[in-house]
Amino acid sequence: MTPQNNIAPNDVLQLDIVSDVICPWCYIGKRKLDQALHQVDMKVNLAWRPFQLDPTTPAEGVDRQQQMKRKFGEAQAKQIGKNIIVAAQGTGIEFAFDKQRRTPNTLNAHRLIRWAASTGQQHQVAESLFSRYFEYGEDVGREDVLLRIATEHNMDATLIAELLASDADIDTIRNDDARARDFGVSGVPAFLVAGKFMLMGAQDCDVLLNFFRKAKDKLAQQAQKEETN
């Protein structure tokens, strides 16, 4: 593989992805990140961080069509969908907004992503949650949907069911969400390198690669200063 943007192959970049699984721009951003990761010649450690677009959504979710009409009006809601489909060109995503019936509360989906870190499957589980919701219209707030995803990614479904039935990591998810907002995340997706440098929005591959390069250079400069002090 040809090195990109002067990034040394032995370097490791810590990248936190702040997102919500019901955010279409986060799905687009994830796919564009995948494109960048295939081109960058360095190791990138990924960690997914929670952000709930609407934490007040009831546990059982809400009717999505009514919600969109109430927030935007029918005509604007349809136009928003068209704009998203145009923005997704080249990502391979097949948005199927007509299949979506519910807007779920995503607290449990974020818990599942957190637990997937123990098996190194966060990135894959996030992809499955996005796909199930946006391409197949499945309610990713439902326990049975979450358990199927867990099973597909070789997670212990029995353990996951027990955890979902408990309060495990609920406060952690809410605290992580609050920390992201305190850091300055006002919309998602947001990409955070080394806990210091942030890029917001579903950015194109070249923009992401440039962001990685600049972050790497700044980290190297900071490390050099610390060594000389």
Side-chain angles (χ1 to χ4, degrees):
M1 183 181 296
T2 303
Q4 300 286 327
N5 296 314
N6 299 319
I7 297 174
N10 293 326
D11 288 349
V12 179
L13 205 68
Q14 177 60 44
L15 177 64
D16 288 359
I17 307 160
V18 186
S19 77
D20 198 358
V21 298
I22 58 170
C23 166
W25 299 104
C26 291
Y27 194 12
I28 294 172
K30 188 265 179 192
R31 286 291 184 88
K32 290 185 175 184
L33 172 63
D34 288 341
Q35 295 171 356
L37 293 175
H38 278 97
Q39 295 186 41
V40 68
D41 192 6
M42 68 185 302
K43 181 175 175 57
V44 179
N45 285 338
L46 299 175
W48 285 76
R49 306 298 182 191
F51 187 100
Q52 286 194 273
L53 292 175
D54 186 0
T56 67
T57 301
E60 67 276 13
V62 298
D63 183 286
R64 183 181 182 278
Q65 302 301 325
Q66 292 182 7
Q67 179 192 49
M68 293 295 289
K69 289 179 182 179
R70 184 170 60 252
K71 288 178 66 174
F72 304 108
E74 186 171 358
Q76 186 177 355
K78 289 182 178 179
Q79 186 59 50
I80 290 172
K82 292 178 181 178
N83 293 342
I84 291 170
I85 290 172
V86 170
Q89 290 179 357
T91 65
I93 301 172
E94 296 183 3
F95 282 104
F97 296 116
D98 57 319
K99 294 181 180 179
Q100 294 176 307
R101 297 292 179 262
R102 307 289 293 174
T103 298
N105 182 302
T106 57
L107 177 62
N108 285 339
H110 285 301
R111 289 205 287 167
L112 182 64
I113 293 173
R114 177 177 176 80
W115 299 329
S118 64
T119 58
Q121 293 285 307
Q122 275 195 320
H123 203 59
Q124 294 84 352
V125 167
E127 170 72 27
S128 291
L129 287 162
F130 283 130
S131 180
R132 290 292 186 91
Y133 182 63
F134 285 111
E135 298 183 281
Y136 297 95
E138 295 189 36
D139 184 347
V140 293
R142 289 173 54 101
E143 181 176 326
D144 60 322
V145 175
L146 297 176
L147 290 177
R148 286 202 303 273
I149 292 173
T151 300
E152 290 170 1
H153 294 284
N154 300 315
M155 300 173 70
D156 186 334
T158 300
L159 175 59
I160 297 300
E162 293 175 356
L163 291 171
L164 287 172
S166 73
D167 293 334
D169 288 322
I170 287 178
D171 287 342
T172 300
I173 295 299
R174 290 172 174 163
N175 290 337
D176 283 353
D177 184 306
R179 277 193 290 270
R181 296 173 195 271
D182 289 342
F183 190 80
V185 177
S186 57
V188 284
F191 303 96
L192 182 63
V193 169
K196 297 181 178 181
F197 310 111
M198 183 169 66
L199 178 68
M200 295 178 61
Q203 303 292 342
D204 288 337
C205 176
D206 289 345
V207 175
L208 288 165
L209 290 170
N210 190 49
F211 171 60
F212 295 157
R213 177 184 60 79
K214 288 184 176 180
K216 170 190 170 289
D217 290 344
K218 289 180 180 178
L219 290 169
Q221 292 170 9
Q222 291 178 0
Q224 189 174 26
K225 286 182 179 179
E226 292 173 359
E227 291 177 357
T228 57
N229 289 338

Coordinates of all heavy atoms in Angstrom, one line a residue, residues 27 100 126-140 144-146 148-149 152:
Y27 N -24.2 7.5 9.5 CA -24.0 6.4 8.7 C -23.1 6.7 7.5 O -22.2 6.0 7.1 CB -25.3 5.8 8.3 CG -25.3 4.4 7.7 CD1 -24.2 3.6 7.7 CD2 -26.4 3.9 7.1 CE1 -24.2 2.3 7.2 CE2 -26.4 2.6 6.5 CZ -25.3 1.8 6.6 OH -25.3 0.6 6.1
Q100 N -39.1 2.7 7.5 CA -38.9 3.1 8.9 C -40.3 3.5 9.5 O -41.0 4.3 9.0 CB -37.9 4.3 9.0 CG -36.5 3.9 8.6 CD -35.6 5.1 8.7 OE1 -35.9 6.1 8.1 NE2 -34.5 4.9 9.4
A126 N -21.7 -1.2 15.1 CA -22.2 0.1 14.6 C -22.7 0.0 13.2 O -23.8 0.5 12.9 CB -21.2 1.2 14.8
E127 N -22.0 -0.6 12.3 CA -22.4 -0.8 10.9 C -23.7 -1.6 10.9 O -24.7 -1.2 10.1 CB -21.3 -1.5 10.1 CG -21.8 -2.0 8.7 CD -21.9 -0.9 7.7 OE1 -21.2 0.2 7.9 OE2 -22.7 -1.1 6.8
S128 N -23.9 -2.6 11.7 CA -25.1 -3.4 11.6 C -26.3 -2.6 12.2 O -27.4 -2.7 11.6 CB -24.9 -4.7 12.5 OG -24.0 -5.6 11.9
L129 N -26.1 -1.8 13.2 CA -27.2 -1.0 13.7 C -27.6 0.0 12.7 O -28.8 0.2 12.5 CB -26.7 -0.3 15.0 CG -26.6 -1.2 16.2 CD1 -25.7 -0.5 17.3 CD2 -27.9 -1.6 16.8
F130 N -26.7 0.7 12.0 CA -27.0 1.6 11.0 C -27.8 0.9 9.9 O -28.8 1.4 9.4 CB -25.7 2.3 10.4 CG -25.1 3.3 11.2 CD1 -23.7 3.3 11.5 CD2 -25.8 4.4 11.7 CE1 -23.1 4.3 12.3 CE2 -25.2 5.4 12.5 CZ -23.9 5.3 12.8
S131 N -27.3 -0.2 9.4 CA -27.9 -0.9 8.3 C -29.3 -1.4 8.6 O -30.2 -1.2 7.8 CB -27.0 -2.0 7.8 OG -27.6 -2.7 6.7
R132 N -29.4 -2.0 9.8 CA -30.7 -2.5 10.2 C -31.8 -1.4 10.2 O -32.9 -1.5 9.8 CB -30.6 -3.1 11.5 CG -29.9 -4.4 11.6 CD -30.6 -5.6 10.8 NE -29.9 -6.8 11.0 CZ -30.2 -7.7 11.9 NH1 -31.1 -7.5 12.8 NH2 -29.5 -8.9 12.0
Y133 N -31.4 -0.2 10.7 CA -32.3 0.9 10.9 C -32.6 1.6 9.5 O -33.8 1.8 9.2 CB -31.8 1.9 11.9 CG -32.8 3.0 12.1 CD1 -34.0 2.8 12.7 CD2 -32.4 4.3 11.8 CE1 -34.9 3.9 12.9 CE2 -33.3 5.4 12.0 CZ -34.5 5.2 12.6 OH -35.4 6.2 12.8
F134 N -31.5 2.0 8.8 CA -31.7 2.8 7.6 C -32.0 2.0 6.4 O -32.7 2.6 5.5 CB -30.5 3.7 7.4 CG -30.4 4.8 8.4 CD1 -29.4 4.8 9.4 CD2 -31.3 5.8 8.4 CE1 -29.3 5.9 10.3 CE2 -31.2 6.9 9.3 CZ -30.2 6.9 10.2
E135 N -31.6 0.8 6.3 CA -31.8 0.1 5.0 C -32.9 -1.0 5.1 O -33.5 -1.4 4.1 CB -30.5 -0.6 4.6 CG -29.4 0.4 4.3 CD -28.1 -0.2 3.8 OE1 -27.3 -0.8 4.6 OE2 -27.8 -0.2 2.6
Y136 N -33.2 -1.4 6.3 CA -34.2 -2.4 6.5 C -35.4 -2.0 7.4 O -36.4 -2.7 7.6 CB -33.6 -3.7 7.1 CG -32.6 -4.3 6.2 CD1 -31.2 -4.0 6.3 CD2 -33.0 -5.1 5.1 CE1 -30.3 -4.6 5.5 CE2 -32.0 -5.7 4.2 CZ -30.7 -5.4 4.4 OH -29.8 -5.9 3.5
G137 N -35.3 -0.8 8.0 CA -36.4 -0.2 8.7 C -36.6 -1.0 10.1 O -37.7 -0.8 10.6
E138 N -35.6 -1.7 10.6 CA -35.8 -2.4 11.8 C -35.7 -1.4 13.0 O -34.9 -0.4 12.9 CB -34.8 -3.5 12.0 CG -35.0 -4.6 10.9 CD -34.2 -5.8 11.2 OE1 -34.0 -6.2 12.4 OE2 -33.7 -6.4 10.3
D139 N -36.4 -1.7 14.1 CA -36.4 -0.8 15.3 C -35.2 -1.2 16.2 O -35.3 -2.2 16.9 CB -37.7 -1.0 16.0 CG -37.8 -0.1 17.3 OD1 -36.8 0.5 17.7 OD2 -38.9 0.0 17.8
V140 N -34.1 -0.5 16.1 CA -32.9 -0.8 16.8 C -33.0 -0.4 18.3 O -32.0 -0.5 19.0 CB -31.6 -0.2 16.2 CG1 -31.4 -0.8 14.8 CG2 -31.8 1.3 16.1
D144 N -35.0 -7.7 20.9 CA -34.8 -8.8 20.0 C -33.9 -8.4 18.9 O -33.0 -9.2 18.4 CB -36.1 -9.4 19.6 CG -36.9 -8.3 18.8 OD1 -36.9 -7.2 19.2 OD2 -37.6 -8.7 17.8
V145 N -34.0 -7.2 18.4 CA -33.1 -6.8 17.3 C -31.7 -6.7 17.8 O -30.7 -7.1 17.1 CB -33.6 -5.4 16.7 CG1 -32.6 -4.9 15.6 CG2 -35.0 -5.6 16.1
L146 N -31.5 -6.1 18.9 CA -30.2 -5.9 19.5 C -29.5 -7.3 19.8 O -28.3 -7.5 19.5 CB -30.2 -5.1 20.8 CG -30.7 -3.7 20.6 CD1 -30.8 -3.0 22.0 CD2 -29.8 -2.9 19.7
R148 N -30.1 -10.1 18.2 CA -29.7 -10.7 16.9 C -28.4 -10.2 16.4 O -27.6 -10.9 15.9 CB -30.9 -10.5 15.8 CG -32.1 -11.4 16.1 CD -32.9 -11.5 14.8 NE -33.3 -10.3 14.2 CZ -34.4 -9.6 14.5 NH1 -35.2 -10.2 15.5 NH2 -34.8 -8.5 14.0
I149 N -28.3 -8.8 16.5 CA -27.0 -8.2 16.1 C -25.9 -8.7 16.9 O -24.8 -9.0 16.4 CB -27.1 -6.7 16.2 CG1 -28.1 -6.2 15.1 CG2 -25.8 -6.0 16.0 CD1 -28.4 -4.7 15.2
E152 N -24.9 -12.2 15.8 CA -24.2 -12.2 14.5 C -22.7 -11.8 14.6 O -21.9 -12.2 13.8 CB -24.9 -11.1 13.6 CG -26.3 -11.6 13.1 CD -27.0 -10.5 12.4 OE1 -26.4 -9.4 12.2 OE2 -28.2 -10.7 12.0

